[in-house]
């Protein structure tokens, strides 16, 4: 399998986002500068736009990519990933259930094989939903802050 020449690496994708953010900031700055372009008091207009060199944009994009990777590896990130997988399974199960309903509404006589396949898909997606829901519960338990059982401060006391 050959790689897609149009596909971006994760860093290039984040760099594209960084360039887009920079363009938005530049436009906001230009809008503010236009607001002060008429009669203005001295030193009221914004300073010239500080262009960031491509190397700085790339470094910021790499930093952002590392921050995202660290978050995804965190307990909260893994929890959100599990929730996303559960939602995908729920959508698939819903679509399969709709396919079964459509088979029934057309009449089962000529649609039995199609209905059986849709029902099997529904069952498969429902099992996947159950597995991912259990993963959400486990990851929620791991991500939840632990209550403190007492204070290590000798001067404090329960009142």
């Amino acid at each position: 399998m050959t790689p897609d020449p149009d596909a971006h690496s994760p860093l290039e994708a984040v760099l594209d986002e960084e360039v887009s953010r920079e363009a938005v900031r530049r436009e906001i700055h230009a809008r503010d500068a236009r607001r002060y372009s008429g009669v203005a008091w001295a030193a009221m207009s914004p300073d010239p736009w500080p262009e960031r060199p491509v190397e700085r944009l790339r470094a910021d994009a790499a930093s952002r990519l590392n921050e995202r990777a660290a978050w995804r590896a965190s307990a909260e990130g893994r929890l959100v990933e599990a929730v996303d997988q559960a939602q995908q399974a729920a959508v698939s199960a819903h679509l399969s259930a709709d396919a079964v309903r459509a088979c029934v509404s057309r009449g089962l006589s000529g649609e039995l094989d199609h209905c059986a396949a849709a029902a099997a898909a529904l069952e498969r997606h429902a099992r996947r939903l159950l597995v991912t829901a259990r993963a959400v519960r486990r990851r929620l338990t791991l991500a939840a802050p632990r209550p403190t059982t007492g204070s290590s401060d000798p001067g404090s006391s329960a009142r």
Side-chain angles (χ1 to χ4, degrees):
M1 185 169 152
T2 60
D4 181 5
D6 294 330
H8 284 354
S9 73
L11 178 58
E12 289 171 335
V14 176
L15 179 59
D16 288 347
E17 292 172 12
E18 196 67 32
V19 168
S20 295
R21 264 192 289 284
E22 187 73 4
V24 169
R25 288 184 199 115
R26 187 180 310 113
E27 177 55 37
I28 291 169
H29 183 273
R31 192 175 349 150
D32 288 345
R34 282 191 300 274
R35 185 178 327 149
Y36 292 105
S37 66
V39 176
W41 292 357
M44 289 292 292
S45 62
D47 292 333
W49 178 252
E51 291 291 332
R52 289 193 300 165
V54 173
E55 297 80 24
R56 182 66 195 162
L57 290 171
R58 185 173 291 282
D60 290 348
S63 175
R64 188 177 305 275
L65 187 62
N66 289 335
E67 289 169 4
R68 287 180 185 175
W71 182 83
R72 284 186 184 116
S74 72
E76 291 85 3
R78 289 189 308 272
L79 172 61
V80 169
E81 178 187 11
V83 169
D84 183 56
Q85 291 172 356
Q87 288 175 317
Q88 290 174 18
V91 167
S92 297
H94 182 85
L95 292 173
S96 295
D98 278 350
V100 173
R101 183 187 306 267
C103 285
V104 171
S105 69
R106 287 190 299 268
L108 292 175
S109 60
E111 298 282 330
L112 197 53
D113 289 343
H114 185 69
C115 282
L122 171 59
E123 187 176 0
R124 188 174 58 254
H125 295 305
R127 278 195 303 268
R128 189 172 124 232
L129 177 57
L130 181 59
V131 167
T132 57
R134 288 178 178 155
V136 167
R137 187 179 61 215
R138 280 191 309 275
R139 290 179 181 179
L140 180 60
T141 301
L142 293 172
R146 303 280 186 240
T148 57
T149 56
S151 174
S152 61
D153 180 10
S156 69
S157 62
R159 293 184 180 134

PDB file of all heavy atoms in Angstrom, residues 7-8 11 50-51 62 65 77 86 93 96 114 125:
ATOM      1  N   ALA A   7      -1.833  13.265   1.792  1.00  0.00           N
ATOM      2  CA  ALA A   7      -2.098  13.129   3.225  1.00  0.00           C
ATOM      3  C   ALA A   7      -1.087  13.958   4.019  1.00  0.00           C
ATOM      4  O   ALA A   7       0.093  14.005   3.686  1.00  0.00           O
ATOM      5  CB  ALA A   7      -2.027  11.671   3.646  1.00  0.00           C
ATOM      6  N   HIS A   8      -1.572  14.616   5.059  1.00  0.00           N
ATOM      7  CA  HIS A   8      -0.722  15.420   5.931  1.00  0.00           C
ATOM      8  C   HIS A   8      -0.288  14.589   7.118  1.00  0.00           C
ATOM      9  O   HIS A   8      -1.046  13.771   7.632  1.00  0.00           O
ATOM     10  CB  HIS A   8      -1.477  16.634   6.453  1.00  0.00           C
ATOM     11  CG  HIS A   8      -1.643  17.741   5.467  1.00  0.00           C
ATOM     12  ND1 HIS A   8      -1.085  17.759   4.226  1.00  0.00           N
ATOM     13  CD2 HIS A   8      -2.327  18.913   5.561  1.00  0.00           C
ATOM     14  CE1 HIS A   8      -1.396  18.868   3.604  1.00  0.00           C
ATOM     15  NE2 HIS A   8      -2.175  19.587   4.382  1.00  0.00           N
ATOM     16  N   LEU A  11       1.775  16.582  12.386  1.00  0.00           N
ATOM     17  CA  LEU A  11       2.413  17.879  12.608  1.00  0.00           C
ATOM     18  C   LEU A  11       1.991  18.878  11.532  1.00  0.00           C
ATOM     19  O   LEU A  11       1.698  20.043  11.839  1.00  0.00           O
ATOM     20  CB  LEU A  11       3.939  17.749  12.626  1.00  0.00           C
ATOM     21  CG  LEU A  11       4.706  19.058  12.816  1.00  0.00           C
ATOM     22  CD1 LEU A  11       4.305  19.751  14.110  1.00  0.00           C
ATOM     23  CD2 LEU A  11       6.196  18.818  12.765  1.00  0.00           C
ATOM     24  N   PRO A  50       3.202  41.725  14.600  1.00  0.00           N
ATOM     25  CA  PRO A  50       4.479  41.002  14.690  1.00  0.00           C
ATOM     26  C   PRO A  50       4.383  39.666  13.947  1.00  0.00           C
ATOM     27  O   PRO A  50       3.834  38.699  14.468  1.00  0.00           O
ATOM     28  CB  PRO A  50       4.656  40.797  16.194  1.00  0.00           C
ATOM     29  CG  PRO A  50       3.257  40.746  16.727  1.00  0.00           C
ATOM     30  CD  PRO A  50       2.436  41.633  15.828  1.00  0.00           C
ATOM     31  N   GLU A  51       4.889  39.615  12.746  1.00  0.00           N
ATOM     32  CA  GLU A  51       4.854  38.368  11.972  1.00  0.00           C
ATOM     33  C   GLU A  51       5.696  37.307  12.666  1.00  0.00           C
ATOM     34  O   GLU A  51       6.825  37.560  13.076  1.00  0.00           O
ATOM     35  CB  GLU A  51       5.404  38.615  10.559  1.00  0.00           C
ATOM     36  CG  GLU A  51       4.525  39.473   9.698  1.00  0.00           C
ATOM     37  CD  GLU A  51       3.218  38.789   9.298  1.00  0.00           C
ATOM     38  OE1 GLU A  51       3.173  37.546   9.218  1.00  0.00           O
ATOM     39  OE2 GLU A  51       2.233  39.518   9.075  1.00  0.00           O
ATOM     40  N   ALA A  62       4.321  22.031  16.900  1.00  0.00           N
ATOM     41  CA  ALA A  62       4.877  20.829  17.526  1.00  0.00           C
ATOM     42  C   ALA A  62       4.546  20.795  19.014  1.00  0.00           C
ATOM     43  O   ALA A  62       4.197  19.747  19.567  1.00  0.00           O
ATOM     44  CB  ALA A  62       6.394  20.774  17.310  1.00  0.00           C
ATOM     45  N   LEU A  65       0.910  19.893  19.352  1.00  0.00           N
ATOM     46  CA  LEU A  65       0.743  18.465  19.072  1.00  0.00           C
ATOM     47  C   LEU A  65       1.170  17.624  20.277  1.00  0.00           C
ATOM     48  O   LEU A  65       0.482  16.668  20.657  1.00  0.00           O
ATOM     49  CB  LEU A  65       1.554  18.080  17.830  1.00  0.00           C
ATOM     50  CG  LEU A  65       1.371  16.673  17.301  1.00  0.00           C
ATOM     51  CD1 LEU A  65      -0.071  16.435  16.856  1.00  0.00           C
ATOM     52  CD2 LEU A  65       2.323  16.430  16.133  1.00  0.00           C
ATOM     53  N   GLY A  77      -8.288  12.114  28.937  1.00  0.00           N
ATOM     54  CA  GLY A  77      -8.238  11.877  27.500  1.00  0.00           C
ATOM     55  C   GLY A  77      -8.689  10.473  27.137  1.00  0.00           C
ATOM     56  O   GLY A  77      -9.438  10.278  26.160  1.00  0.00           O
ATOM     57  N   ALA A  86     -18.054   4.702  22.464  1.00  0.00           N
ATOM     58  CA  ALA A  86     -19.406   4.298  22.853  1.00  0.00           C
ATOM     59  C   ALA A  86     -20.450   5.020  22.007  1.00  0.00           C
ATOM     60  O   ALA A  86     -21.441   4.419  21.572  1.00  0.00           O
ATOM     61  CB  ALA A  86     -19.635   4.573  24.343  1.00  0.00           C
ATOM     62  N   ALA A  93     -25.577   1.045  16.242  1.00  0.00           N
ATOM     63  CA  ALA A  93     -26.693   0.222  16.710  1.00  0.00           C
ATOM     64  C   ALA A  93     -28.022   0.856  16.294  1.00  0.00           C
ATOM     65  O   ALA A  93     -28.941   0.161  15.835  1.00  0.00           O
ATOM     66  CB  ALA A  93     -26.632   0.045  18.227  1.00  0.00           C
ATOM     67  N   SER A  96     -28.594   0.259  12.614  1.00  0.00           N
ATOM     68  CA  SER A  96     -28.969  -1.136  12.376  1.00  0.00           C
ATOM     69  C   SER A  96     -30.407  -1.393  12.794  1.00  0.00           C
ATOM     70  O   SER A  96     -31.142  -2.121  12.113  1.00  0.00           O
ATOM     71  CB  SER A  96     -28.022  -2.081  13.126  1.00  0.00           C
ATOM     72  OG  SER A  96     -26.715  -1.972  12.612  1.00  0.00           O
ATOM     73  N   HIS A 114     -32.357 -10.041   4.395  1.00  0.00           N
ATOM     74  CA  HIS A 114     -31.869  -8.692   4.697  1.00  0.00           C
ATOM     75  C   HIS A 114     -32.168  -8.327   6.153  1.00  0.00           C
ATOM     76  O   HIS A 114     -31.325  -7.738   6.839  1.00  0.00           O
ATOM     77  CB  HIS A 114     -32.505  -7.688   3.726  1.00  0.00           C
ATOM     78  CG  HIS A 114     -31.976  -6.305   3.864  1.00  0.00           C
ATOM     79  ND1 HIS A 114     -30.689  -5.957   3.506  1.00  0.00           N
ATOM     80  CD2 HIS A 114     -32.553  -5.168   4.343  1.00  0.00           C
ATOM     81  CE1 HIS A 114     -30.500  -4.679   3.746  1.00  0.00           C
ATOM     82  NE2 HIS A 114     -31.624  -4.177   4.257  1.00  0.00           N
ATOM     83  N   HIS A 125     -23.425  -4.519  17.069  1.00  0.00           N
ATOM     84  CA  HIS A 125     -23.195  -3.142  17.535  1.00  0.00           C
ATOM     85  C   HIS A 125     -23.631  -2.966  18.987  1.00  0.00           C
ATOM     86  O   HIS A 125     -23.008  -2.212  19.743  1.00  0.00           O
ATOM     87  CB  HIS A 125     -23.913  -2.144  16.630  1.00  0.00           C
ATOM     88  CG  HIS A 125     -23.389  -2.125  15.236  1.00  0.00           C
ATOM     89  ND1 HIS A 125     -22.065  -1.918  14.931  1.00  0.00           N
ATOM     90  CD2 HIS A 125     -24.023  -2.297  14.048  1.00  0.00           C
ATOM     91  CE1 HIS A 125     -21.895  -1.955  13.628  1.00  0.00           C
ATOM     92  NE2 HIS A 125     -23.075  -2.188  13.062  1.00  0.00           N
TER      93      HIS A 125
END
